[in-house]
Amino acid sequence: MGIYNPPKKRVHRGYVYLDDATVINSLSAIESGKIDEVVAKIAQARDGGFSGGLNAGGGALGGKIEGGKKTTASFEEEVVRTRTRFSIFELWYQKIVEEKALGTFDGWGEGAISSVKPGDTVEITGTLQIVPLQTLLRLFRWFAAQAQDQSSPFSQKGDDLKATKAGLKNLEALLGGTDEVLAMLRPEGEDGPAVAVVLDANWLIGALGRLDGTYTVVAQVEMVLGAEDKWPTVRLTAEAPVTKLERDTLTEVVGNFAEPAKALGVSIAANEAELTGPALLLRAIAVYR
């Protein structure tokens, strides 16, 4: 008999990423606006008795106090939204499960994405890891900050510091002015198509370095890449569609960073500049254990 008694089911979710703005808006649409209505009513109920007492005086004074009451109601509503961030996801998740609107996978393999369509909402469990190029970009950003801090053991001076600053400038340009992060997901099961997950750093819960290990990812399918399709792992021109010029330039630039990356303990190959199909490109909604 084993020592460990596993839980009958998993109730707690340890989130590392949650785009709750998308979840709230989606749930509001599904529920015909009722989710916004519930949040607002909680705020009004808290203000109800207070408001009645203030309005008894009337006149100019009453008008001023009424204005204060509205400000208080707005603040309370925001507090309620913050406190229900995770529970909103549970409501939304249960709703799409009930509506059979969530795509799931029984294992993984070569034909796993043959029926997947862009726009599908899917759930996949697997090992998640930031792509090496993204790791390099953020690690070098940290190193450049240390190099300029003379109290740091990594501090630099003279030509070395100038070179580091120039390298940082080039890397920041490589980010394309966005703070999106690309991670690769290795689904549980047999070998099959690659799965890339686009994350927006604004919705991370905790540090980016936590995104390493096995997670459940709920996401919307952005693209289904065929066998001959390619997609850049980092965008140079975030405000314009992907072009051959961007792809060729990115491949060349990544090749130039291969050697410097070794000094930081990161292994980068030129072909990591692109995601090659067959593959799924997902935009994350939630990442949790």
Side-chain angles (χ1 to χ4, degrees):
M1 176 180 268
I3 295 174
Y4 177 60
N5 298 310
K8 301 299 182 184
K9 65 177 182 178
R10 292 188 177 181
V11 176
H12 173 74
R13 300 183 194 273
Y15 294 91
V16 295
Y17 182 94
L18 178 58
D19 182 351
D20 55 292
T22 293
V23 172
I24 289 173
N25 289 334
S26 178
L27 184 59
S28 179
I30 294 171
E31 296 282 8
S32 301
K34 290 181 181 178
I35 187 64
D36 292 332
E37 203 172 84
V38 169
V39 172
K41 281 182 178 177
I42 292 172
Q44 289 167 8
R46 288 183 176 179
D47 292 334
F50 184 52
S51 174
L54 288 177
N55 289 335
L61 181 59
K64 290 180 181 179
I65 295 177
E66 178 64 22
K69 177 258 177 185
K70 290 181 180 179
T71 301
T72 303
S74 175
F75 173 75
E76 289 289 336
E77 182 176 342
E78 183 61 31
V79 169
V80 172
R81 285 181 185 275
T82 301
R83 288 178 179 174
T84 59
R85 184 179 185 187
F86 293 174
S87 60
I88 288 292
F89 174 81
E90 294 297 335
L91 290 171
W92 173 82
Y93 180 81
Q94 293 303 324
K95 187 67 177 179
I96 61 172
V97 169
E98 289 171 7
E99 297 288 338
K100 299 181 179 179
L102 184 66
T104 58
F105 299 87
D106 296 322
W108 199 253
E110 290 185 5
I113 65 174
S114 60
S115 300
V116 180
K117 303 295 182 185
D120 286 357
T121 304
V122 299
E123 180 181 64
I124 308 177
T125 298
T127 303
L128 194 67
Q129 187 174 40
I130 304 300
V131 296
L133 182 56
Q134 293 278 354
T135 300
L136 173 64
L137 292 174
R138 285 157 176 80
L139 186 58
F140 195 84
R141 183 186 284 171
W142 168 85
F143 176 76
Q146 294 293 309
Q148 298 175 64
D149 181 359
Q150 295 306 305
S151 66
S152 169
F154 301 101
S155 64
Q156 294 179 326
K157 294 181 179 180
D159 291 341
D160 288 341
L161 182 56
K162 289 181 181 179
T164 297
K165 288 181 176 180
L168 177 62
K169 185 176 181 179
N170 291 336
L171 283 173
E172 294 292 359
L174 189 61
L175 282 171
T178 72
D179 208 10
E180 288 188 343
V181 182
L182 191 71
M184 297 304 298
L185 181 70
R186 172 66 177 85
E188 294 177 341
E190 299 178 5
D191 291 338
V195 180
V197 183
V198 179
L199 305 161
D200 185 333
N202 292 319
W203 300 113
L204 285 169
I205 300 172
L208 187 62
R210 292 181 61 195
L211 282 172
D212 190 6
T214 301
Y215 291 96
T216 294
V217 176
V218 177
Q220 187 170 39
V221 178
E222 196 151 291
M223 283 187 174
V224 181
L225 302 181
E228 303 300 321
D229 296 332
K230 296 180 183 296
W231 186 261
T233 56
V234 174
R235 295 299 314 278
L236 293 176
T237 54
E239 301 302 321
V242 176
T243 63
K244 185 177 184 300
L245 175 62
E246 179 184 6
R247 289 169 48 198
D248 292 345
T249 302
L250 182 60
T251 298
E252 181 180 351
V253 170
V254 170
N256 293 335
F257 281 117
E259 283 301 317
K262 290 181 180 179
L264 295 174
V266 181
S267 178
I268 290 182
N271 61 3
E272 289 175 3
E274 292 185 316
L275 173 67
T276 303
L280 276 185
L281 182 64
L282 307 178
R283 185 163 292 275
I285 297 171
V287 178
Y288 56 84
R289 284 189 172 120

